[in-house]
């Protein structure tokens, strides 16, 4: 997977004003850019650099949130909220000769702060841009979902705004050098999803008893110099339901004493059909609904668990090499949410995956991380846990969550579903957890 996805390398952290001037000068230096290309360049260049303000969206301190919201022109650590980023972009756009201005979106819901979007006008058309949701998409080479696309804006009269087509934006991004391969990461992830399912299916089939028994039987017959060809074929005929179809391939394998790709495909086909019982009447009623086809339902559950564990491990083995360009915790979280959809493709699968936010106090500030749990379908209703440090690109699979959080001074958010999971673990464990988890978590489970 590494090397497939085209991402933009994260820039070194420089002062925002320096970056701002650098972007403006770079865009002005490029010749014959249309206004749309200038606007897209501004969004891409700044989107690689900025991140969503974690303190504003996660801490829940109303006084501090109000301070950040009202002092929107003061941007710290290149972390922005909607109001600050659209004002920044509108000022930069004016220096590029573009017609842009901030738009406050009044919210009917019980939200403390109104949303802000950026209006961009060109060639008698009026567009809306919502920069923050596209930060991680820019950083990871995804298609943009909030650039000049009015359908994604709630609370605004959609009919009064125009939209650019996906193909038009993609053509511009390719022409400007932001999409060097001509293909978005989300398109590659779709291919990855198919590839992963194929590999997983191949792994399940080839580790099955049917495949292994067939392979070992054939290997034994190939090495047996005492039996005639007809005797060997008679043995294979018993275990291969598609013997007539595979006969020529098997004869060649025995004569050449080689098990090559066509032979392995024949064995795979036999094992696959046996596993799913393709010819069976799936609607046959059986007592207690214990069977699916000819497969015992308990074995089917085991198979589903194996598939989920395979996907869970697959995802976390992949992410460290895929996320080097992401700027902040929220951008990493958003990307993980997208990646999860490609790997866990059904609603049932996604319902068994939970992403939890955990944090560590550090000199009055908080550092946020992700913890994942995978609920298995077994009698114990057990779960697997994984911790992901997006800053160090460090994944730890198979952790015991309570002990891990205590050992690393981690806390969960007050309303996190992780608290109930931790409480359940402690109530059903023979271990004594002392000291109890701290801060917000302690209030929930002590």
């Amino acid at each position: 997977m590494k090397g497939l996805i085209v991402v933009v390398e994260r820039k070194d952290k420089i002062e925002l004003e320096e970056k701002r001037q650098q972007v403006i000068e770079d865009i002005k230096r490029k010749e014959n850019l249309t206004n749309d290309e200038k606007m897209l360049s501004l969004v891409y260049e700044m989107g690689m650099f900025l991140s969503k303000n974690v303190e504003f969206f996660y801490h829940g301190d109303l006084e501090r949130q109000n301070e950040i919201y009202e002092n929107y022109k003061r941007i710290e650590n290149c972390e922005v909220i909607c109001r600050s980023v659209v004002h920044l972009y509108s000022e930069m756009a004016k220096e590029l000769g573009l017609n842009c201005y901030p738009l406050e979106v009044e919210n009917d819901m019980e939200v403390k702060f109104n949303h802000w979007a950026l209006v961009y006008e060109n060639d008698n058309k009026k567009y809306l841009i919502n920069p923050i949701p596209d930060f991680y998409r820019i950083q990871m080479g995804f298609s943009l979902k909030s650039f000049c696309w009015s359908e994604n804006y709630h609370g605004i009269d959609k009919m009064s705004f125009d939209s650019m087509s996906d193909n038009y934006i993609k053509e511009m991004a390719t022409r400007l050098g932001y999409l060097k391969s001509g293909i978005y990461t989300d398109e590659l992830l779709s291919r990855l999803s198919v590839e992963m399912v194929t590999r997983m299916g191949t792994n399940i089939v080839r580790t099955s008893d049917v495949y292994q028994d067939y392979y070992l039987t054939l290997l034994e017959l190939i090495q047996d110099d005492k039996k005639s060809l007809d005797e060997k074929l008679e043995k294979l005929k018993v275990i291969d339901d598609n013997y007539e179809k595979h006969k020529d391939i098997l004869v060649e394998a025995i004569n050449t004493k080689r098990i090559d790709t066509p032979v392995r495909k024949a064995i795979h086909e036999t094992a696959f059909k046996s596993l799913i019982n393709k010819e069976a009447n799936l609607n046959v009623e059986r007592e207690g609904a214990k069977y699916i086809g000819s497969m015992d339902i308990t074995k089917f559950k085991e198979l589903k668990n194996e598939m989920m564990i395979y996907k869970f491990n697959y995802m976390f083995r992949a992410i460290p090499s895929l996320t080097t360009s992401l700027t902040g915790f929220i951008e990493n979280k958003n990307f993980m949410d997208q990646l999860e959809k490609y790997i866990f493709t059904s609603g049932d699968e996604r319902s068994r995956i939970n992403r939890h936010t955990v944090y560590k106090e550090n000199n009055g500030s908080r550092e946020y991380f992700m913890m994942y749990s995978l609920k298995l379908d077994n009698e114990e209703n057990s779960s697997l846990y994984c911790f992901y440090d997006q800053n160090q690109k460090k994944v730890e699979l198979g952790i015991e969550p309570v002990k891990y959080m205590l050992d690393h001074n981690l806390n969960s958010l007050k309303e996190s579903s992780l608290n109930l999971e931790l409480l359940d673990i402690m109530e059903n464990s023979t271990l004594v957890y002392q000291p109890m988890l701290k801060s917000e978590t302690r209030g929930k489970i002590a």
Side-chain angles (χ1 to χ4, degrees), residues 27 33-45 89-90 93 96 98-100 118-121 129 147-148 164 176:
I27 294 174
L33 290 186
T34 65
N35 284 344
D36 289 349
E37 288 173 335
K38 289 178 183 179
M39 192 70 246
L40 185 62
S41 294
L42 189 160
V43 167
Y44 260 103
E45 290 295 335
Y89 282 15
S90 65
L96 294 169
L98 302 174
N99 185 11
C100 283
L118 183 68
V119 178
Y120 162 57
E121 296 183 0
I129 299 172
F147 178 80
C148 299
M164 293 182 185
L176 293 166

Side-chain angles (χ1 to χ4, degrees), residues 87 116 122 149 164 226 314 407:
H87 279 82
W116 289 76
N122 186 47
W149 183 245
M164 293 182 185
K226 294 180 180 179
Y314 188 98
D407 290 346

Side-chain angles (χ1 to χ4, degrees), residues 1 192 313-323 339 343 395:
M1 187 61 195
L192 168 66
N313 290 336
Y314 188 98
M315 181 169 77
F316 286 102
R317 282 197 300 267
I319 56 173
S321 62
L322 299 182
T323 57
L339 182 62
I343 292 180
V395 173

Side-chain angles (χ1 to χ4, degrees), residues 197-208:
V197 171
T198 302
R199 288 185 177 183
M200 179 177 63
T202 300
N203 179 69
I204 290 170
V205 171
R206 293 192 175 179
T207 55
S208 68

Side-chain angles (χ1 to χ4, degrees), residues 36-60:
D36 289 349
E37 288 173 335
K38 289 178 183 179
M39 192 70 246
L40 185 62
S41 294
L42 189 160
V43 167
Y44 260 103
E45 290 295 335
M46 296 304 293
M48 297 176 205
F49 183 73
L50 298 171
S51 59
K52 192 172 181 178
N53 191 307
V54 179
E55 186 179 13
F56 182 84
F57 290 98
Y58 273 81
H59 281 208

Side-chain angles (χ1 to χ4, degrees), residues 245-274:
K245 178 181 177 181
H246 300 148
K247 181 178 177 180
D248 292 343
I249 296 171
L250 296 172
V251 169
E252 185 176 354
I254 293 170
N255 289 336
T256 60
K257 296 193 173 186
R258 286 174 50 197
I259 299 179
D260 54 13
T261 300
V263 182
R264 286 193 292 272
K265 284 184 177 179
I267 300 173
H268 182 101
E269 182 182 17
T270 302
F272 177 75
K273 285 190 174 182
S274 174

Side-chain angles (χ1 to χ4, degrees), residues 153-168:
Y153 293 86
H154 301 287
I156 299 177
D157 181 5
K158 297 174 186 176
M159 298 304 293
S160 62
F161 293 93
D162 299 290
S163 292
M164 293 182 185
S165 71
D166 290 337
N167 285 339
Y168 178 60

